[in-house]
Every structure is written in structure tokens, then in C-alpha cells.
């Protein structure tokens, strides 16, 4: 008979084969199984699941709910094998989904950070940081997508990047502006000179020739934004907010050019890798300038009827 640990492995393997990454569940479910074992339980019970979710005593209810949701997914699977498994109820913890307003990077902010990156050492860290942050700024790619790129995913000839494992494990193509393509080609020449034999197939590499991870990227950006004065007690720019800024900047440019957003939003949504245009429209509320443009459009359209 399979143990609970075996069932967790089978569950994660099955869900990941369907395209789910389950990074958090992959960390938490083995801990939950250890908790059940210590309690002498042979299967999942609602009381033990709720108690385990609350073990993160310093966390907010949102995190407790996320822990319990991971257990619910596993318990639903386990019920098909063991009918004695209890499915923990939903709504146990009060939660509220809140999307904080992102920091919107200006062109000057981006240039300041890229200039500050020139002071990093060793030189390969400078080259990689400048190329990576610039790519995020001009394409709106997710940080994980950028660091996950292999060198072969960049086609310099056609000027297209292939993201093979985007969100929900869906591939997508990202056409590049000629200047971006040229800059990436220059980066490749510099990284080959500084690290002729990298240990990774990654497009962006660290000073030791390995693939960078997201925490390293975030740490570097914290250092650079602190150095430039962009980071304060109340303002915390992040790599992912470069994506927000790209989307907002694109829509502002469209408004100024008189382009109908509704006619083009599907293009931007596809380029960004959003599941639906509704996810892209959320950026409207992130920018006072965009909201002002939208209000002007409504006034122009309906004001004459009043």
C-alpha cells in the first residue's frame, strides 16, 4: 500500500503533467504529510489540515488559506483512492484578494538603474544585469520567463524570442524591436568574452556561468534602486513592476496616437502572455494618466448627449 508520501508524489506528478507547476504545493505538502505522521493520522482530516495551516503563526489569513487550499487539492485527489479522506472546508480563513498599485517605472528610472549597474562587479554581472533589466523593460516579460530562457531560445536572425514554458506552461513568441535585438547580440558577444565556457545553456548567466534565479535578480535590483534613490521606505520597485510599466506605457502611447484600445488590447494581451484581455485591462486602474485618458474618451463620446 502506498504511503501518504507516495500519494503526494503521485499527485504532484499527475498535476504537473497537466501543466501545473505547483511550486508552493511541492514544498508544503511533504511538510503536511510529516505533520499527519507525527499526529498518528493515516489520512487527511479537516481538523488536522486546519491546525497545520495555522502553524504559520506570524502569517496573515491569506497565507493560511493558501496552505489549506494546497491541502484541499491533495485531499480531493486522495478521496478517489481512500474514501475515508476528509475534504477540508473552504472559507475557513477570512481572505481578501488585494492587488497593490504597482510602482510605474519612468524611462528616467530605467536609465538610472542601467547606469548604476555599470558599477557592479565582476563585469559579467554588469553585462547580465543591464541586458536582463533592459529586456524586461522593453518587452514586459515575466522575470521567471527571462531567467528561464536558453541561448537557443533567442533567434538573432529573425529577432524573435521563444518562451517555451510561459505561465501555465504555454509557449509563446516575443518579437523584438531591432534595437533590442542588437543589444542582446552585443550582450552575447560580451558574455562569450567574459565566460567562454559557461556551465549552463541559459541565455543570461551569472559570473560563474550558471543560470541566475529570481531571488538573485530581485536582490540585485534592490541594491541598484537603493543606490539610485528610487527605493525608499514607502516605494519598493520590483522586477515584475517593469512588466506593469511596459503595459501601461504601451496603452498610454496608443491613447496619445488616437488608437482604439479595444481594437488592440488582444494584441497586447497575447504579447504579454495573459490568459484573457481582462487581465490586461487591469493595468488601466494602475495609472492615473490612463484613467484620465479613459475619462476624456468617455466625456468625448457621451458628453454631447447630455
Amino acid at each position: 500500500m502506498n504511503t501518504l508520501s507516495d500519494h503526494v508524489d503521485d499527485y504532484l506528478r499527475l498535476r504537473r503533467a497537466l501543466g501545473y507547476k505547483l511550486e508552493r504545493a511541492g514544498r508544503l505538502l511533504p511538510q503536511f504529510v510529516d505533520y499527519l505522521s507525527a499526529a498518528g493520522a493515516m489520512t487527511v482530516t479537516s481538523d488536522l489540515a486546519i491546525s497545520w495551516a495555522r502553524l504559520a503563526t506570524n502569517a496573515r489569513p491569506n497565507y493560511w488559506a493558501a496552505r489549506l487550499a494546497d491541502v484541499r487539492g491533495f485531499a480531493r485527489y486522495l478521496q478517489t483512492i481512500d474514501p475515508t479522506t476528509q475534504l477540508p472546508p473552504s472559507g475557513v480563513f477570512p481572505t481578501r484578494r488585494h492587488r497593490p498599485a504597482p510602482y510605474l517605472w519612468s524611462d528616467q528610472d530605467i536609465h538610472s538603474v542601467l547606469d548604476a549597474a555599470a558599477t557592479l562587479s565582476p563585469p559579467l554581472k554588469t553585462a547580465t544585469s543591464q541586458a536582463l533589466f533592459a529586456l524586461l523593460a522593453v518587452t514586459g516579460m515575466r522575470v521567471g520567463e527571462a531567467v528561464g530562457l536558453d541561448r537557443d531560445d533567442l533567434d538573432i536572425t529573425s529577432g524573435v524570442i521563444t518562451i517555451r514554458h510561459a505561465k501555465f506552461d504555454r509557449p509563446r513568441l516575443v518579437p523584438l524591436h531591432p534595437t533590442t535585438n542588437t543589444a542582446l547580440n552585443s550582450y552575447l558577444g560580451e558574455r562569450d568574452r567574459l565566460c567562454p565556457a559557461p556551465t549552463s545553456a541559459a541565455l543570461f548567466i551569472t559570473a560563474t556561468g550558471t543560470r541566475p534565479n529570481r531571488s538573485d535578480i530581485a536582490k540585485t535590483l534592490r541594491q541598484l534602486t537603493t543606490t539610485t534613490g528610487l527605493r525608499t521606505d514607502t516605494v519598493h520597485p520590483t522586477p515584475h513592476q517593469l512588466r506593469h510599466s511596459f503595459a501601461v506605457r504601451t496603452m498610454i502611447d496608443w491613447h496619445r496616437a488616437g488608437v482604439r484600445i479595444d481594437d488592440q488590447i488582444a494584441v497586447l494581451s497575447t504579447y504579454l502572455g495573459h490568459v484573457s484581455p481582462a487581465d490586461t485591462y487591469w493595468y488601466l486602474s494602475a495609472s492615473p494618466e490612463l484613467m484620465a485618458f479613459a475619462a476624456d474618451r468617455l466625456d468625448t463620446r457621451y458628453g454631447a448627449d447630455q
Side-chain angles (χ1 to χ4, degrees):
M1 178 182 293
N2 281 355
T3 65
L4 282 175
S5 294
D6 293 332
H7 287 315
V8 165
D9 290 341
D10 291 342
Y11 166 72
L12 293 173
R13 189 180 304 111
L14 173 63
R15 294 292 305 280
R16 285 167 175 163
L18 295 174
Y20 297 92
K21 294 186 178 179
L22 300 184
E23 294 178 355
R24 185 185 63 213
R27 296 192 308 272
L28 294 182
L29 288 179
Q31 298 174 20
F32 174 61
V33 166
D34 289 342
Y35 180 80
L36 292 178
S37 178
M42 302 299 293
T43 190
V44 177
T45 69
S46 294
D47 288 343
L48 286 174
I50 293 169
S51 297
W52 174 81
R54 280 200 179 107
L55 286 180
T57 54
N58 295 326
R60 296 183 178 182
N62 273 7
Y63 184 60
W64 294 344
R67 285 164 64 92
L68 190 60
D70 286 335
V71 172
R72 279 175 53 81
F74 172 59
R76 190 177 292 109
Y77 161 82
L78 194 58
Q79 277 185 328
T80 65
I81 302 169
D82 178 7
T84 66
T85 301
Q86 296 179 5
L87 180 64
S90 60
V92 174
F93 304 113
T95 60
R96 182 179 66 178
R97 187 180 182 189
H98 174 65
R99 300 179 86 169
Y103 177 77
L104 297 179
W105 290 74
S106 68
D107 289 343
Q108 181 179 351
D109 293 340
I110 296 168
H111 285 298
S112 295
V113 164
L114 296 182
D115 289 342
T119 65
L120 297 173
S121 75
L124 184 52
K125 184 173 183 178
T126 288
T128 295
S129 298
Q130 289 178 326
L132 177 57
F133 291 135
L135 182 66
L136 296 177
V138 300
T139 64
M141 290 174 60
R142 298 178 178 94
V143 180
E145 292 172 345
V147 299
L149 292 173
D150 286 344
R151 180 165 182 159
D152 290 344
D153 294 332
L154 169 62
D155 187 337
I156 289 292
T157 302
S158 62
V160 173
I161 282 177
T162 300
I163 300 175
R164 303 188 185 280
H165 301 285
K167 198 169 184 179
F168 303 116
D169 214 33
R170 298 178 307 171
R172 84 173 187 277
L173 302 178
V174 179
L176 303 174
H177 189 276
T179 57
T180 303
N181 200 44
T182 298
L184 287 174
N185 195 32
S186 296
Y187 166 69
L188 290 178
E190 184 70 357
R191 57 156 270 181
D192 288 348
R193 181 181 69 82
L194 296 170
C195 185
T199 58
S200 169
L203 172 61
F204 297 107
I205 59 174
T206 67
T208 58
T210 60
R211 188 185 303 274
N213 59 53
R214 283 181 284 188
S215 62
D216 290 337
I217 299 303
K219 181 179 179 180
T220 298
L221 191 64
R222 282 197 300 272
Q223 176 186 344
L224 295 174
T225 52
T226 300
T227 299
T228 58
L230 294 178
R231 187 177 183 84
T232 67
D233 291 339
T234 57
V235 177
H236 306 129
T238 67
H240 190 71
Q241 289 164 356
L242 288 165
R243 175 175 169 83
H244 288 255
S245 303
F246 169 81
V248 168
R249 213 165 39 242
T250 299
M251 287 192 277
I252 287 176
D253 289 344
W254 282 346
H255 272 294
R256 288 174 174 166
V259 174
R260 282 177 51 85
I261 294 288
D262 289 346
D263 293 342
Q264 296 295 324
I265 195 69
V267 175
L268 180 59
S269 184
T270 300
Y271 188 82
L272 289 170
H274 281 154
V275 174
S276 72
D279 295 321
T280 311
Y281 268 120
W282 176 79
Y283 292 119
L284 280 168
S285 64
S287 166
E289 186 174 0
L290 270 177
M291 292 300 290
F293 276 126
D296 288 343
R297 286 291 182 90
L298 287 173
D299 188 56
T300 300
R301 182 172 181 178
Y302 298 109
D305 297 332
Q306 299 178 354

